[in-house]
Amino acid sequence: YAELSGPAFAAAGVARAGQGTGQGVDAEVEAAHRRIVEIARGLSRLSDEKTRRIEHGEPVDDLLPQVMELEADADRLDQIGYAAYLRMLRAEILNAMERSHEALATLNEARAKLKDAFAAAGPSADNAPERAIDIEILSRIADTDGLLGDFSAASAAFGEAIEQIERDRYKVNSPYQQSAFLNQRANIYRYGVGLAYKQGDYETMLQRAELSKARGLSRTRYETATPALDLSGLERQFRDVCDAIDAEQSPADSPERLELLERRRRIWDLMTIARRSSQTGGADIPAFSVAAVQRALEPDEAVVYYYWVTPTILLVIAADRERFTVERTILTDEDVAALDDLLV
């Protein structure tokens, strides 16, 4: 729960009290801080106990009132983050008790309170910490929708989570930080792709797959304050980085070579954006569509596209100008081992 620390999650009552003077105010502040520490410890303890009991098939019913007591205190102290995570824990317990409708209502309640915090912060505030929690709530809403058999709602929830992720993804400057940012949330994209496939929504399936692969044209929708791109300058940079890769003597998996490869990919993406911008006169890039991909193909061209939904489930998409097909392939452990050997 490291992300719950810091000023974004300071108790409003504590912040106001800290501006006053006198022993009475100091005692009130100290008592509030002690209770916040107790809430944090209680959240960690109850989460661990819930996990232990579920793993051993033990009942979790008696944990529910303890969680709700901590919830009430977190609400009273205006602890946005702790209140949200406690409601997520309550939903996990309710799901374990096969009360998933109540779990879903609890998660929606958590989202509503978080949205109130968004609104109170104002349009100029950086709501990234709250968005990080919202993404987790949405992921759990999707999981609960799945338990209830509502796969359409589950797909929509994952789609909304992906929208939230993309708002912050390109604010991270370093390619390695971007990779780490996405790796922590990769399952949301994979589940979103899988559910869109299950619903037969192939447009959405491919949009999410492209975003998870950080394709240049897909990312422009979410880029913030993108400056005008100098295509000729980018082409020079691309040639320079290609020369640097050719001259690099370190092993193929060395950090130095991987950084150069990542830089080349980013420059290529920017070149793609710049070329598209020059072709459209700066107009917005149209939304991704299967039809647009097919129109871009020559009569003798075809596309074969792969996406790993899980380590053993592979989506294979094939398209030419007239036809589009998607197949789901389930690999055995032996298939995966053989593929690993081939790649080595």
Side-chain angles (χ1 to χ4, degrees):
Y1 306 107
E3 69 256 48
L4 301 183
S5 61
F9 300 104
V14 172
R16 287 194 297 271
Q19 295 171 3
T21 59
Q23 292 182 344
V25 170
D26 289 343
E28 182 183 344
V29 170
E30 181 63 29
H33 276 299
R34 281 200 304 270
R35 187 53 184 155
I36 292 169
V37 171
E38 290 170 1
I39 290 170
R41 290 174 176 169
L43 170 59
S44 180
R45 176 181 59 81
L46 289 170
S47 180
D48 289 345
E49 180 63 14
K50 178 268 306 177
T51 300
R52 187 195 67 79
R53 292 194 190 185
I54 289 175
E55 287 176 349
H56 291 82
E58 299 174 7
V60 293
D61 310 46
D62 61 302
L63 300 181
L64 204 55
Q66 299 178 60
V67 171
M68 295 180 72
E69 180 182 353
L70 291 176
E71 261 182 54
D73 282 347
D75 286 339
R76 178 175 58 82
L77 292 169
D78 202 20
Q79 288 293 292
I80 301 165
Y82 288 124
Y85 274 98
L86 283 161
R87 284 182 172 84
M88 284 189 261
L89 179 56
R90 172 156 54 114
E92 289 178 19
I93 293 170
L94 287 167
N95 275 327
M97 296 166 64
E98 298 184 354
R99 292 163 58 180
S100 293
H101 286 288
E102 293 174 63
L104 188 58
T106 299
L107 292 167
N108 284 320
E109 178 188 355
R111 274 209 88 199
K113 288 184 175 293
L114 202 62
K115 285 184 177 180
D116 289 343
F118 273 90
S124 62
D126 179 8
N127 291 315
E130 285 87 351
R131 272 199 297 277
I133 298 176
D134 194 34
I135 290 164
E136 193 155 351
I137 295 172
L138 282 164
S139 179
R140 297 184 190 215
I141 286 173
D143 290 341
T144 305
D145 283 329
L147 288 174
L148 293 168
D150 192 344
F151 298 113
S152 177
S155 180
F158 277 127
E160 197 169 349
I162 290 168
E163 289 277 346
Q164 296 281 34
I165 293 169
E166 293 294 323
R167 288 177 185 275
D168 291 317
R169 177 175 172 182
Y170 298 108
K171 293 179 182 178
V172 180
N173 294 324
S174 162
Y176 286 115
Q177 287 179 321
Q178 284 188 10
S179 178
F181 179 87
L182 186 59
N183 283 341
Q184 294 169 3
R185 300 159 174 83
N187 280 341
I188 291 174
Y189 288 83
R190 283 197 288 269
Y191 297 152
V193 169
L195 281 165
Y197 165 79
K198 187 179 183 71
Q199 297 297 304
D201 184 356
Y202 298 142
E203 301 278 359
T204 299
M205 176 191 76
L206 286 173
Q207 286 170 10
R208 293 172 181 174
E210 285 293 277
L211 285 172
S212 75
K213 295 181 179 183
R215 298 303 190 198
L217 290 178
S218 298
R219 75 171 57 173
T220 55
R221 177 181 173 191
Y222 299 96
E223 291 278 12
T224 56
T226 304
L229 298 173
D230 174 13
L231 180 57
S232 62
L234 289 169
E235 289 173 341
R236 285 194 299 273
Q237 292 180 46
F238 187 78
R239 288 193 296 271
D240 289 344
V241 77
C242 287
D243 290 342
I245 291 169
D246 290 341
E248 180 60 47
Q249 299 297 315
S250 58
D253 59 350
S254 68
E256 295 82 8
R257 181 174 290 275
L258 291 174
E259 184 175 0
L260 286 170
L261 292 172
E262 178 60 29
R263 191 188 310 167
R264 182 174 66 178
R265 176 184 289 277
R266 285 180 61 79
I267 295 171
W268 179 265
D269 283 346
L270 291 172
M271 287 167 58
T272 303
I273 295 168
R275 289 193 183 104
R276 179 70 190 187
S277 180
S278 66
Q279 293 167 2
T280 62
D284 287 342
I285 293 172
F288 177 92
S289 72
V290 172
V293 171
Q294 290 180 301
R295 284 195 301 270
L297 295 172
E298 296 296 331
D300 60 347
E301 289 181 329
V303 172
V304 179
Y305 185 98
Y306 304 93
Y307 191 88
W308 291 99
V309 179
T310 74
T312 58
I313 298 179
L314 181 66
L315 293 180
V316 182
I317 299 99
D320 59 17
R321 293 194 66 150
E322 305 296 332
R323 295 164 294 179
F324 179 89
T325 183
V326 183
E327 290 187 9
R328 187 182 69 159
T329 301
I330 300 177
L331 282 72
T332 65
D333 291 340
E334 292 76 14
D335 293 332
V336 174
L339 184 58
D340 288 342
D341 290 341
L342 177 64
L343 293 176
V344 172

